[in-house]
Amino acid sequence: MQATATKQEQKTGYFGEFGGQFVPPHLAEKLNHLYEVFLKYKDNPSFKEEFKSLLHTYVGRPSPLYKAENLSKELGSTIYLKREDLNHTGSHKINNTIGQILLAKRMGATEIIAETGAGQHGVATATAAALMGIKCKVFIGKVDSERQRMNVERMEVLGAEVITATAGNATLKDAVDMALGYYVENPNVYYLLGSAVGPHPYPTIVRYFQSVIGEEMKKQILEIEGKLPDAIVACIGGGSNAIGAFSHFINDDVALYAAEGAGESMELGATSATLTLGKPTVFQGAFSMCLMNENDEPLPSKSIAAGLDYPGIGPEHAHLKTIDRVSYHPITDQEAVDAYRLLSKKEGIIPAIESAHAVALIGKLFKDKNALVIINLSGRGDKDVSRL
Ligand SMILES: *Cc1c(COP(=O)(O)O)cnc(C)c1O
C-alpha cells in the first residue's frame, strides 16, 4: 500500500499504472491550464472558505449520517446511511459542481458545459451555473433524456440549454464524446465533468471536491459509535460518490465495497460491470478499464440506472481494484429494484435506483453478519418513481 502511494505521487495524474491524459495537444493545453488553476486554488483560504460556505448554506452540508434501525433489523447488521440524497438537487453531484464552478469563475469562463447520464449531474451543473450567472449547455444521450424526463425539464427551468446526443447507444458515453468535441472547439468554455473519469486532471479534481463525503462520514461515525465502521459500500458508475466516500478510509482498516450495474445479466453488451468484465485500455482520454468486445473495441453498456450506464470507469478505481484495496461486485437490475422497494418500505426513504445497487450489495454481503456498515446513499429516487 505504502509503496504504491509513493509511486502514485511521483507520476502526476496517475493512480498506479492507470490514469494519464490521452488527448490531442490542443486539449492537453487546456487541461494542463485547468490543473494549474486547481493547484493554485485548492488550498487557498478564501477559495476554501467560499466552497465550504456554499456547501453549508446552499447545499445543506454536512449531510446526516442516519442509523437505519428498520433496515438493520431486517438485514442483521448495523447499517448507517450517509444521506447524500438530502443535498440540494438530490444527489452527491452538487458537491463537485459547486467546487468546479468556483474554478470556472476564477478562470473567467463565459460558458459552462456538462455531460449527464441520470440527469443528476446536468441538474447540479445547471443549478451551479444559474447561481453564478454563467450560460450553460448540457449534453445528454437521447435514451437517457427519455428515461430521465423530469431532470431534463428541471435543467430547462434552471435556464440551461439541453442538447441531445443521438450517436451510438445514445447514452452517457455519447454525451461525453459530444461535450469533449464542443470543449475542444470553443474557447472560454469550462467543461464541468461530473465523475472521477476522463483525462487528468478531472479524476483528481472530482475526487478532491467529493472527498467531503468521506471526511464528514469519518467524523460522524466516530462521534456516534466511537469507532470506525467495518465496511463502507457505495454504488459505482464513473466512481465519484464511491471515491468521495472511500477517500478518507483508504489507509484505515475498513473494508471498501462498490456495487456495479450488472444490467439484466452479466453478458457483454447487456451489462455495465466494467471492473468485473472490462479490460485495460485507453478510453475517453485516460488509461483505465473498459467493457470491450473480442476485437478490443468499446462495447455499449446497459443498466436500469442511467447513472451507472457507462462502459468505462475512473482510473483510480481500476488501480484500487488492481491492488485489491476495494472489492467491486455486480448487482443486477432486478436486485436493485428489490432493494429500492425494500429501503422505501422499511425506512420511508426512496433511493435513486443507482444508490439502490449499494443497498442490494449490503443485503448480499452483510446479511446476519452483525457488522457495522455505512451505505453511501448517493441520491434520492424521485426521478425513478414513475418508471419503476
Ligand atoms: C451520477 C450518479 C451516480 C453514479 O456516478 P458516480 O460518479 O459513480 O458517483 C450514482 N448515484 C447517483 C444518484 C447519481 O446521480
Side-chain angles (χ1 to χ4, degrees), residues 43-104:
D43 298 317
N44 173 289
S46 81
F47 180 88
K48 277 170 70 174
E49 186 46 44
E50 193 178 357
F51 180 53
K52 260 182 73 178
S53 160
L54 283 172
L55 287 186
H56 182 51
T57 58
Y58 188 72
V59 174
R61 303 203 72 93
S63 65
L65 188 67
Y66 164 72
K67 187 174 186 178
E69 301 267 13
N70 300 333
L71 187 68
S72 298
K73 210 172 285 168
E74 175 84 11
L75 295 181
S77 276
T78 303
I79 297 164
Y80 282 84
L81 307 178
K82 179 60 173 162
R83 301 290 309 276
E84 293 300 299
D85 61 312
L86 292 179
N87 292 339
H88 178 44
T89 72
S91 81
H92 67 289
K93 296 277 177 14
I94 191 83
N95 305 325
N96 170 53
T97 59
I98 294 291
Q100 285 200 52
I101 203 123
L102 294 178
L103 292 179

Side-chain angles (χ1 to χ4, degrees), residues 90-93 116-121 172 194-197 206 210 235-243 306-308 313 317 352-355 376-380 383:
S91 81
H92 67 289
K93 296 277 177 14
T116 195
Q120 290 300 112
H121 177 58
L172 184 55
S195 189
V197 299
V206 175
Q210 290 294 3
C235 67
I236 185 160
S240 71
N241 88 86
I243 206 68
L308 307 185
I313 189 76
H317 287 289
I353 187 64
E354 289 80 8
S355 320
N376 193 38
L377 203 73
S378 56
R380 66 174 182 240
K383 68 187 180 58

Side-chain angles (χ1 to χ4, degrees), residues 37-366:
V37 172
F38 169 70
L39 288 181
K40 179 172 168 198
Y41 288 109
K42 82 180 184 48
D43 298 317
N44 173 289
S46 81
F47 180 88
K48 277 170 70 174
E49 186 46 44
E50 193 178 357
F51 180 53
K52 260 182 73 178
S53 160
L54 283 172
L55 287 186
H56 182 51
T57 58
Y58 188 72
V59 174
R61 303 203 72 93
S63 65
L65 188 67
Y66 164 72
K67 187 174 186 178
E69 301 267 13
N70 300 333
L71 187 68
S72 298
K73 210 172 285 168
E74 175 84 11
L75 295 181
S77 276
T78 303
I79 297 164
Y80 282 84
L81 307 178
K82 179 60 173 162
R83 301 290 309 276
E84 293 300 299
D85 61 312
L86 292 179
N87 292 339
H88 178 44
T89 72
S91 81
H92 67 289
K93 296 277 177 14
I94 191 83
N95 305 325
N96 170 53
T97 59
I98 294 291
Q100 285 200 52
I101 203 123
L102 294 178
L103 292 179
K105 207 173 80 171
R106 279 160 179 78
M107 292 171 81
T110 53
E111 186 177 20
I112 303 295
I113 61 163
E115 81 299 332
T116 195
Q120 290 300 112
H121 177 58
V123 169
T125 304
T127 299
L131 177 68
M132 297 297 161
I134 310 179
K135 198 167 81 169
C136 177
K137 273 194 180 70
V138 179
F139 298 87
I140 185 168
K142 188 161 189 299
V143 170
D144 291 338
S145 75
E146 283 156 11
R147 61 180 161 177
Q148 308 280 270
R149 187 70 225 156
M150 186 184 86
N151 276 340
V152 171
E153 284 162 12
R154 288 166 82 198
M155 289 178 242
E156 286 169 349
V157 170
L158 290 160
E161 186 185 345
V162 180
I163 296 169
T164 311
T166 51
N169 237 30
T171 55
L172 184 55
K173 172 192 172 295
D174 313 294
V176 173
D177 284 338
M178 222 176 154
L180 276 172
Y182 188 88
Y183 181 52
V184 171
E185 282 161 26
N186 294 279
N188 296 327
V189 165
Y190 184 96
Y191 182 11
L192 208 164
L193 204 108
S195 189
V197 299
H200 172 68
Y202 284 110
T204 300
I205 293 179
V206 175
R207 172 200 223 267
Y208 179 80
F209 290 129
Q210 290 294 3
S211 68
V212 65
I213 301 173
E215 187 185 343
E216 288 175 5
M217 204 187 253
K218 193 170 204 172
K219 201 166 154 247
Q220 289 167 321
I221 197 73
L222 286 173
E223 259 170 37
I224 304 169
E225 290 280 344
K227 60 180 178 185
L228 293 177
D230 297 310
I232 300 169
V233 182
C235 67
I236 185 160
S240 71
N241 88 86
I243 206 68
F246 298 165
S247 58
H248 284 261
F249 297 90
I250 301 267
N251 296 320
D252 294 323
D253 187 18
V254 174
L256 305 174
Y257 296 93
E260 300 196 278
E264 281 176 23
S265 76
M266 286 293 280
E267 266 163 55
L268 284 172
T271 178
S272 300
T274 308
L275 285 165
T276 309
L277 295 172
K279 298 188 240 178
T281 186
V282 170
F283 176 69
Q284 291 190 324
F287 180 65
S288 188
M289 308 275 278
C290 185
L291 293 168
M292 291 192 289
N293 64 18
E294 61 277 12
N295 300 323
D296 288 347
E297 293 150 350
L299 271 175
S301 54
K302 247 182 129 179
S303 168
I304 193 169
L308 307 185
D309 198 340
Y310 185 61
I313 189 76
E316 189 168 4
H317 287 289
H319 172 59
L320 291 169
K321 173 173 167 96
T322 304
I323 63 169
D324 252 341
R325 178 60 189 96
V326 178
S327 62
Y328 298 85
H329 297 261
I331 292 293
T332 64
D333 289 352
Q334 189 56 52
E335 289 168 330
V337 171
D338 292 345
Y340 165 88
R341 300 229 161 88
L342 178 71
L343 190 67
S344 302
K345 298 236 161 73
K346 285 282 164 197
E347 295 288 346
I349 296 171
I350 305 175
I353 187 64
E354 289 80 8
S355 320
H357 285 68
V359 178
L361 184 55
I362 289 266
K364 281 184 141 178
L365 295 175
F366 293 100

